[in-house]
Amino acid sequence: MTRQKKIAVFVGGLTVVLIGVLIGIIIFLLRSTNRLTTYRMDTQVANVHVGGLYVNQAREQITKEALKWRDEADIQLIYQLDYRIPIDNMVFSFDVNGTIQKIRDGETIPIDVSFQPQYQDYLAKLIEEHAHILKYSDFDLQQLENDLLHQVGMLKSPIWIELGHYVLNLDINKKEIATTTLYGIDDKIFPLIEEYFDGRIEMTIQPNAYFHLTDVMKELAKERLTGEKASIFNDEQLSVLGTGIYELILYTNFMNIQRSITEDPFALPNYIYNRPGFEVRIDTNKGIDFSFYNPNATPYTVIITQSGAGLKFILTGAPFIHTIEVIGADDVQLIDYPTITIERTEYLGKEIKPGQPIRINGKEGKVVKISRKITSFNTDGSVKEVKVLVMNEDHYLPRPQLIIYHPDDRNMLNV
């Protein structure tokens, strides 16, 4: 083969290769922009089905749905159940062209979205604007932004994000929410707290969860008891713990509270009679418990310690956005007790002699209504609303006065 023929063959082969490469590049480019074929039917961008569409059709449909979403979407940050911070839909920028390049057959992807350049610090400024209400400022704003943009990119609506999930450093920043001290209780509870809890009981009220006192105490007992003993406290002592905790949670937004009180006027503990309205009665044999629901995304802690002759209860956690007062404890309605006379020669093993009746003092009945007074505020600090919610109305029957007298004293005037 002559030199010229070799050159011609080489040039011809190179030309074929180059043409093949060029065709491959063209095909790749055309297929990557979906100009030659439609997307597979199970392909989706956010809530936009692009299956069966060409790239230009997909771009048009995605743009249309994104603009519609921007006009209609409801985006809010929610904190402590009922405080809502609206987010402006116009702060977001959609990159439809960038999204088109990421579409893959058979997959669902979000639209590429970001905050517009002038709104890069939007979330930080929004939290700062509401700081007076939130009473908490340490939030994971980067994670919040990531989660928000993902939901926006999926064109979800409504988007209601619980801000409490992004609270940081609660152990450092938690506050004392409420405190109370019970007096006149059975002092046998004190050595038990010292022996099994080193003088300090701590209970966690889990976020978005129910709290059942007997279940919590069973778990604490499992960690501390060995052998056959299954519980640390008896029902009377559990009732004391429940009573203190109930008063604490009245200063919160905890809800679905289930509690019982003593119905027998002869069995009512003195510490309850002297301060009615907060009693919790536990009867494990009858399944009578004390429970409530924490609707917040943050936990709270109950701390119980001895304080002199009393038992002190403290609730700590993220501060509440509203000011909550407990009212009604000092407004007690009294019910007169009746006098019952009984003719006997013996009472409880004791002889009743003529002229020497036995008198057992009665106690007045009581009715008390406990309420939460909730004051909410505007961002400028002014009062927005005051509402009163009745939490419980407890009725305690009077304890009758008993006079047990001998039959010979039947006609006496002052029995």
Side-chain angles (χ1 to χ4, degrees), residues 232-301:
I232 296 173
F233 302 109
N234 59 31
D235 285 355
E236 180 182 347
Q237 293 160 344
L238 288 174
S239 297
V240 170
L241 298 181
T243 298
I245 295 172
Y246 177 58
E247 184 171 351
L248 294 182
I249 68 167
L250 287 172
Y251 292 90
T252 73
N253 64 352
F254 297 170
M255 56 202 303
N256 299 342
I257 300 171
Q258 300 294 324
R259 59 184 276 273
S260 297
I261 65 172
T262 303
E263 297 178 354
D264 182 357
F266 290 94
L268 183 63
N270 283 332
Y271 74 91
I272 295 298
Y273 183 82
N274 295 332
R275 196 163 183 269
F278 305 104
E279 181 191 6
V280 165
R281 182 174 73 90
I282 301 295
D283 189 329
T284 52
N285 291 328
K286 295 181 178 180
I288 298 176
D289 198 0
F290 168 54
S291 65
F292 54 87
Y293 182 74
N294 173 16
N296 307 292
T298 55
Y300 288 82
T301 303

Side-chain angles (χ1 to χ4, degrees), residues 250 325 327 370-374 387-392:
L250 287 172
E325 303 172 68
I327 58 177
I370 301 297
S371 301
R372 281 175 178 160
K373 181 181 178 183
I374 305 171
K387 59 183 177 180
V388 176
L389 300 178
V390 176
M391 303 304 297
N392 58 276

Side-chain angles (χ1 to χ4, degrees), residues 33-312:
T33 57
N34 229 2
R35 293 180 186 274
L36 294 179
T37 61
T38 59
Y39 295 112
R40 214 169 74 184
M41 294 304 297
D42 56 352
T43 306
Q44 188 168 324
V45 176
N47 58 5
V48 183
H49 295 277
V50 297
L53 301 181
Y54 290 97
V55 62
N56 288 334
Q57 294 173 316
R59 180 186 291 108
E60 181 180 348
Q61 190 64 25
I62 294 169
T63 302
K64 176 183 176 181
E65 293 300 324
L67 293 176
K68 179 182 177 183
W69 176 93
R70 178 178 286 171
D71 291 336
E72 300 176 354
D74 173 19
I75 312 176
Q76 301 180 51
L77 300 179
I78 301 176
Y79 191 60
Q80 293 186 352
L81 192 61
D82 62 356
Y83 189 67
R84 296 173 180 265
I85 303 174
I87 292 180
D88 186 354
N89 301 356
M90 303 305 293
V91 302
F92 302 107
S93 175
F94 293 101
D95 182 4
V96 177
N97 288 328
T99 303
I100 290 291
Q101 301 302 320
K102 296 179 181 179
I103 297 177
R104 297 293 180 268
D105 283 337
E107 296 183 3
T108 298
I109 65 171
I111 304 174
D112 283 354
V113 62
S114 61
F115 284 98
Q116 296 194 44
Q118 66 270 36
Y119 295 112
Q120 291 303 305
D121 296 325
Y122 179 79
L123 289 177
K125 292 178 179 178
L126 191 64
I127 296 299
E128 183 179 354
E129 179 184 342
H130 292 264
H132 179 79
I133 303 292
L134 297 175
K135 300 178 185 176
Y136 203 93
S137 59
D138 200 353
F139 297 95
D140 189 344
L141 296 183
Q142 185 58 60
Q143 187 61 50
L144 174 60
E145 178 177 318
N146 293 343
D147 293 345
L148 173 60
L149 291 179
H150 177 74
Q151 293 198 51
V152 171
M154 296 301 291
L155 298 184
K156 292 187 176 182
S157 183
I159 298 175
W160 294 350
I161 295 180
E162 171 54 66
L163 188 56
H165 290 309
Y166 302 90
V167 164
L168 293 176
N169 301 314
L170 183 57
D171 288 341
I172 299 173
N173 297 321
K174 62 185 177 183
K175 304 294 183 182
E176 182 178 297
I177 307 300
T179 182
T180 189
T181 303
L182 296 183
Y183 294 98
I185 61 177
D186 183 0
D187 60 7
K188 293 185 179 64
I189 196 172
F190 297 133
L192 293 176
I193 295 175
E194 184 62 38
E195 177 181 357
Y196 292 104
F197 299 92
D198 295 325
R200 178 186 175 97
I201 300 176
E202 286 198 16
M203 305 180 193
T204 300
I205 301 172
Q206 298 293 346
N208 301 124
Y210 274 94
F211 176 97
H212 296 268
L213 180 60
T214 56
D215 289 345
V216 171
M217 295 313 301
K218 284 178 184 177
E219 290 301 315
L220 292 176
K222 285 180 183 179
E223 299 171 2
R224 292 164 172 80
L225 294 178
T226 58
E228 297 182 357
K229 189 174 181 181
S231 60
I232 296 173
F233 302 109
N234 59 31
D235 285 355
E236 180 182 347
Q237 293 160 344
L238 288 174
S239 297
V240 170
L241 298 181
T243 298
I245 295 172
Y246 177 58
E247 184 171 351
L248 294 182
I249 68 167
L250 287 172
Y251 292 90
T252 73
N253 64 352
F254 297 170
M255 56 202 303
N256 299 342
I257 300 171
Q258 300 294 324
R259 59 184 276 273
S260 297
I261 65 172
T262 303
E263 297 178 354
D264 182 357
F266 290 94
L268 183 63
N270 283 332
Y271 74 91
I272 295 298
Y273 183 82
N274 295 332
R275 196 163 183 269
F278 305 104
E279 181 191 6
V280 165
R281 182 174 73 90
I282 301 295
D283 189 329
T284 52
N285 291 328
K286 295 181 178 180
I288 298 176
D289 198 0
F290 168 54
S291 65
F292 54 87
Y293 182 74
N294 173 16
N296 307 292
T298 55
Y300 288 82
T301 303
V302 174
I303 302 168
I304 306 172
T305 58
Q306 183 176 354
S307 178
L311 196 61
K312 186 175 184 178

